[in-house]
Amino acid sequence: MKIRFTKAHGARNDFLLTWRGDVPETAGADYAAMARAICDRHTGIGADGWMLVDPPGDAEADGGIQLINSDGSPAEISGNGTRCAAAFLIRHGHAAGVVRIRTGAGIKTLRLLKRRSLEFEFEMNMGRAEIQAERFDLALAAGARDVTLVWVGNPQCAVPVENFDFDWRAVGAEIERHAQFPKRTNVSFVKAVDEHTIDVRFWERGAGETMSSGTGSTGAAAMAMARGLVKSPVRVLTPAGPLDLRFDGDIFLTGPAEIIAEGEFFPA
């Protein structure tokens, strides 16, 4: 048995993309197990998530995606991953300047800004952020944390911080599986830099620490906007480089996607 894949990353948030029709029936019986196998960074190809891609099926979208995290859990959407899917669909001739992708959070529209070979830059309409709780005291082992709960197509817990000189990874892991979030949550730690800039670290549900996050950046920026820490446009400094967002009713995120490999995975 073999599974064909394309590997891409959006600001070092990496994904493996496979046409759903190329998945053997035996593997399709357990997508979660296959995602854990192919995403393993030692015995698999290695990625933050595995994405099953459908070709255009109707006039509303140029393709569809189903995202499974590296731990086998389902995810509604990834901003960085959706840009990777847009690059994949363009490469295969299913879209051009504007790409409409059906995701678990609805149809998302991306506009191609630049392309150089297999390097792409898109502006993606992330929709609107729903602030579910602007200020929420979350009880943790080390004491309560003031957080903001946001929905951006997936759940986000944005944590304002003054610096990153603490074990934010451990705190992120604790928050991800907190009883407040029965389906777990994504976590961002957000430091305000100036009125248009925030610095962020990410702990993603089902993947752990990631170098960047499109939805995480959106949730972090929405929290900072709601609390009056920044104004639009907002630059999000991530360990992988900056992502830029503008608030114009909907939230528009500009960021890269790069296709870096194609091959076949032979599961055990």
Side-chain angles (χ1 to χ4, degrees), residues 19-21 52-58 61-65 88-89 94 102:
W19 291 113
R20 190 186 300 272
L52 301 175
V53 186
D54 294 302
D58 54 50
D62 301 298
I65 55 176
F88 181 80
L89 289 166
H94 292 298
R102 191 180 303 278

Side-chain angles (χ1 to χ4, degrees), residues 9 14 16 41 61 86 91 95 127 157 204 225 233 249 265:
H9 74 94
D14 56 342
L16 301 169
R41 296 193 182 276
R91 176 169 170 75
C157 178
E204 294 215 285
M225 288 277 289
F265 173 59

Side-chain angles (χ1 to χ4, degrees), residues 7 77 104 124 193 203 213 220 226 246-247 253 261 264:
K7 183 164 183 175
I77 187 173
M124 176 176 171
V193 177
W203 184 269
S213 170
R246 63 182 176 90
F247 290 67
L253 183 150
E264 296 176 341

Side-chain angles (χ1 to χ4, degrees), residues 199-220:
D199 195 0
V200 185
R201 300 294 180 271
F202 304 96
W203 184 269
E204 294 215 285
R205 177 184 60 172
E209 179 184 1
T210 58
M211 298 294 286
S212 70
S213 170
T215 54
S217 294
T218 304

